[in-house]
């Protein structure tokens, strides 16, 4: 099992760790635990950690969401990791449900592929489960937007 100290973590904008880094690392370690051991409680714990975003005040929530969107961990964002690795579709869905932006990309310095959009990484890696999550999520968001427009009209 990888320890938090062994992870390469950095903020895309500053290049250094900050106070949200441990939260990001915990989320990534839960994904790794699921991948390596198939531990079903990892997904539950992952969702519980993301739920913490909901109960924080708005400023803290926004800060954590930005960090999760742009934080680099072992060369990729969390969403990019979920798109590269098969079997992580439920983690991807949980991230999307927590308003983590799937369109954030990194600068390509630590890994040439990290500047690719998540959906492209999923397609390149043949991760049909991740692609299906994106399709379903886009349909859900689109139907909500149409509902809001009808209410406004």
């Amino acid at each position: 099992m990888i320890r938090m100290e062994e992870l390469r973590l950095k903020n895309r904008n500053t290049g250094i760790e900050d106070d949200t880094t441990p939260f990001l690392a915990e989320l990534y370690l839960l994904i790794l635990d699921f991948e390596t051991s198939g531990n079903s409680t990892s997904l539950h714990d992952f969702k519980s950690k993301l739920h913490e975003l909901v109960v924080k005040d708005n400023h803290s929530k926004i800060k954590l969401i930005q960090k999760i969107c742009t934080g680099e961990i072992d060369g990729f964002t969390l969403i990019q990791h979920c798109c590269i690795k098969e079997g992580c579709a439920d983690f991807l869905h949980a991230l999307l449900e927590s308003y983590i932006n799937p369109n954030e990309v990194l600068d390509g310095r630590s890994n040439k592929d990290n500047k690719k959009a998540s959906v492209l990484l999923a397609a390149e890696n043949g991760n049909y489960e991740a692609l299906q999550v994106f399709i379903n999520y886009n349909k859900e968001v689109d139907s909500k937007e149409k509902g809001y427009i009808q209410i406004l009209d």
Side-chain angles (χ1 to χ4, degrees), residues 115-147:
K115 57 186 177 183
K116 295 179 181 177
S118 299
V119 69
L120 180 58
L121 288 172
E124 285 180 353
N125 288 281
N127 191 344
Y128 70 91
E129 292 175 337
L131 292 170
Q132 192 62 53
V133 168
F134 282 125
I135 291 167
N136 292 342
Y137 186 75
N138 282 334
K139 285 179 183 176
E140 180 182 320
V141 169
D142 187 51
S143 68
K144 284 180 183 177
E145 286 176 358
K146 286 178 182 175

Side-chain angles (χ1 to χ4, degrees), residues 9-22:
L9 297 158
K10 67 179 182 179
N11 181 293
R12 179 182 73 181
N13 299 320
T14 64
I16 58 172
E17 292 186 24
D18 59 29
D19 59 342
T20 59
T21 299

Side-chain angles (χ1 to χ4, degrees), residues 40-137:
S40 61
T41 59
S42 296
L43 180 59
H44 179 307
D45 293 346
F46 186 85
K47 288 180 179 180
S48 295
K49 291 298 293 177
L50 287 174
H51 182 70
E52 291 178 19
L53 294 176
V54 176
V55 297
K56 295 207 178 276
D57 63 83
N58 283 339
H59 177 72
S60 296
K61 179 180 179 178
I62 290 168
K63 184 178 177 184
L64 280 171
I65 287 173
Q66 289 173 339
K67 171 65 180 182
I68 294 169
C69 289
T70 62
E72 180 179 330
I73 185 163
D74 284 345
F76 293 95
T77 65
L78 279 178
I79 284 192
Q80 287 176 321
H81 277 289
C82 291
C83 292
I84 293 168
K85 300 171 182 174
E86 288 189 37
C88 294
D90 290 333
F91 290 93
L92 173 61
H93 186 259
L95 288 165
L96 294 172
E97 289 290 316
S98 297
Y99 306 105
I100 306 303
N101 184 355
N103 298 315
E104 287 288 343
V105 297
L106 299 173
D107 58 17
R109 281 186 247 166
S110 61
N111 186 314
K112 65 178 177 57
D113 288 335
N114 72 13
K115 57 186 177 183
K116 295 179 181 177
S118 299
V119 69
L120 180 58
L121 288 172
E124 285 180 353
N125 288 281
N127 191 344
Y128 70 91
E129 292 175 337
L131 292 170
Q132 192 62 53
V133 168
F134 282 125
I135 291 167
N136 292 342
Y137 186 75

